[in-house]
Amino acid sequence: MKKYYLNYLDELESEAIYILREVWAQFRNPVLLFSGGKDSILVAHLAKKAFYPSTIPFQFLHVDTGHNFPEAIKFRDDLVHKFGVQLIIGSVQKSIDDGRVVEERGKNATRNVLQTTTLLDTIEEYKIDCAIGGGRRDEEKARAKERFFSHRDDFGQWDPKNQRPELWNILNGKHSGGEHFRAFPISNWTEMDVWNYIKREKIDIPSLYIAHQRDMIWRNNSWIPFSKFMKLNEGEEIKNLKIRFRTLGDITITGGIESEADTLEKIVAEVAAIKQTERGNRSDDKRSETAMEDRKREGYF
């Protein structure tokens, strides 16, 4: 009789599927936070596996800043159609128009911080009690403090010192009215794990992760894609470089790296050699030493 041996990717997959099924079992109205980035694509793929042969039983939610990579939005729409799921869109522009937030001004302005209000308003509007995200502990020190089930109070805020224990994978999603949870099925995955799994499962990804020619400017010690949302500062010039992105956010804040990695095999080899963290080129994380944790405490992803 042939024996089947699990490798580490199988174990990570099994853990993530268990968490996704626990979310569906414990919450009444969960959603999957989906941006078109590789981590949310991975979670969507795992959700499809978790509930096969049925369709994914919860809706997807995208907080749309209006400053997106066009490729990411097209990929999002194509995948939602392919999976046959409903998509909720929370609009940052609507939050601005309604006076809920005030748009930043200046050369380093970003809509990233404004997403928090839009996200919390959308959660309240749709009575969402759990938002499933693609956060991983290796991304950033604040994310390393997250549990699989991360409690948010009735203001949507996160207290890293007041989280539920998760002994022996027992997950506690009990909450009072107005409170909700964030769930992170791939918390224990690394960037290398993600790429090895994408390669193994032959998962489609946006072209942004593959090296190709793009107009860039050097700003905040990163190569930032030049777009209609940006104006050149004194001394800046547009350069056409072969670039790929390790993580996707707003087009105005996401730094790329010069790369020749135009296949999944080359990406895996490149990630193995890189010493800088995945979010090292995100200008929103460079605003302060605690930029990510401060945003998360207020309700950010």
Side-chain angles (χ1 to χ4, degrees):
M1 181 177 179
K2 185 177 180 180
K3 292 184 178 180
Y4 176 69
Y5 295 96
L6 293 176
N7 69 15
Y8 76 101
L9 288 177
D10 295 317
E11 293 174 0
L12 289 170
E13 178 191 73
S14 178
E15 178 183 66
I17 286 174
Y18 165 74
I19 292 163
L20 286 164
R21 288 172 176 168
E22 279 295 298
V23 168
W24 184 239
Q26 294 195 37
F27 297 97
R28 293 187 176 184
N29 188 29
V31 296
L32 192 157
L33 296 171
F34 191 83
S35 64
K38 71 180 188 310
D39 296 318
S40 60
I41 293 168
L42 172 60
V43 175
H45 177 85
L46 291 165
K48 185 178 179 182
K49 277 196 167 188
F51 300 101
Y52 183 84
S54 297
T55 57
I56 297 172
F58 35 74
Q59 299 177 96
F60 286 17
L61 167 60
H62 180 214
V63 177
D64 182 0
T65 65
H67 289 176
N68 304 287
F69 285 93
E71 298 97 323
I73 294 299
K74 183 180 186 307
F75 191 95
R76 178 202 71 184
D77 292 343
D78 289 346
L79 186 138
V80 165
H81 177 73
K82 177 182 176 182
F83 281 14
V85 296
Q86 291 185 324
L87 176 66
I88 299 170
I89 297 178
S91 169
V92 171
Q93 184 61 56
K94 184 176 185 302
S95 296
I96 295 170
D97 295 341
D98 292 347
R100 294 284 293 145
V101 294
V102 178
E103 186 154 22
E104 291 184 0
R105 303 294 178 188
K107 63 181 183 181
N108 293 318
T110 170
R111 288 186 170 184
N112 196 52
V113 177
L114 310 186
Q115 295 180 83
T116 299
T117 298
T118 305
L119 172 62
L120 295 177
D121 286 350
T122 306
I123 286 173
E124 182 176 1
E125 178 184 354
Y126 286 89
K127 304 295 187 258
I128 295 163
D129 54 1
C130 183
I132 306 163
R136 307 190 326 270
R137 293 189 178 113
D138 78 319
E139 285 183 278
E140 204 273 343
K141 56 190 177 183
R143 293 207 188 278
K145 299 178 182 180
E146 290 280 18
R147 305 291 174 87
F148 288 124
F149 277 16
S150 183
H151 177 262
R152 297 300 196 266
D153 65 18
D154 51 358
F155 292 101
Q157 297 177 330
W158 174 63
D159 181 359
K161 295 181 179 179
N162 187 28
Q163 294 295 310
R164 313 279 175 81
E166 293 180 343
L167 305 176
W168 306 288
N169 284 337
I170 298 175
L171 306 177
N172 182 358
K174 292 183 178 179
H175 58 285
S176 301
E179 300 175 346
H180 72 277
F181 274 76
R182 310 287 168 82
F184 300 102
I186 61 171
S187 285
N188 287 334
W189 297 53
T190 66
E191 183 184 10
M192 179 64 81
D193 297 334
V194 170
W195 282 115
N196 278 325
Y197 188 81
I198 286 172
K199 179 173 173 288
R200 187 184 84 170
E201 299 286 306
K202 298 180 174 58
I203 300 172
D204 291 333
I205 55 171
S207 60
L208 296 160
Y209 290 108
I210 307 295
H212 63 285
Q213 297 297 134
R214 181 177 285 273
D215 289 339
M216 310 293 289
I217 60 173
W218 184 252
R219 180 177 293 180
N220 293 329
N221 295 315
S222 298
W223 286 114
I224 305 294
F226 184 72
S227 68
K228 63 181 180 180
F229 306 110
M230 306 179 72
K231 293 182 179 180
L232 290 177
N233 297 323
E234 186 176 353
E236 291 181 337
E237 59 178 316
I238 301 172
K239 293 190 175 182
N240 188 263
L241 303 170
K242 195 169 186 180
I243 292 285
R244 80 171 194 87
F245 300 91
R246 295 173 68 192
T247 179
L248 299 184
D250 271 10
I251 196 170
T252 58
I253 59 173
T254 302
I257 59 172
E258 293 187 77
S259 173
E260 295 295 326
D262 53 7
T263 66
L264 288 177
E265 289 78 11
K266 290 180 181 179
I267 290 174
V268 169
E270 183 179 81
V271 170
I274 289 176
K275 294 183 179 179
Q276 186 182 42
T277 62
E278 183 177 355
R279 293 182 65 96
N281 283 329
R282 288 283 292 268
S283 61
D284 52 326
D285 289 350
K286 298 179 182 180
R287 293 191 169 194
S288 73
E289 286 292 323
T290 60
M292 172 63 84
E293 182 159 336
D294 292 342
R295 295 199 305 274
K296 285 179 69 63
R297 285 178 179 271
E298 295 171 359
Y300 185 71
F301 310 117

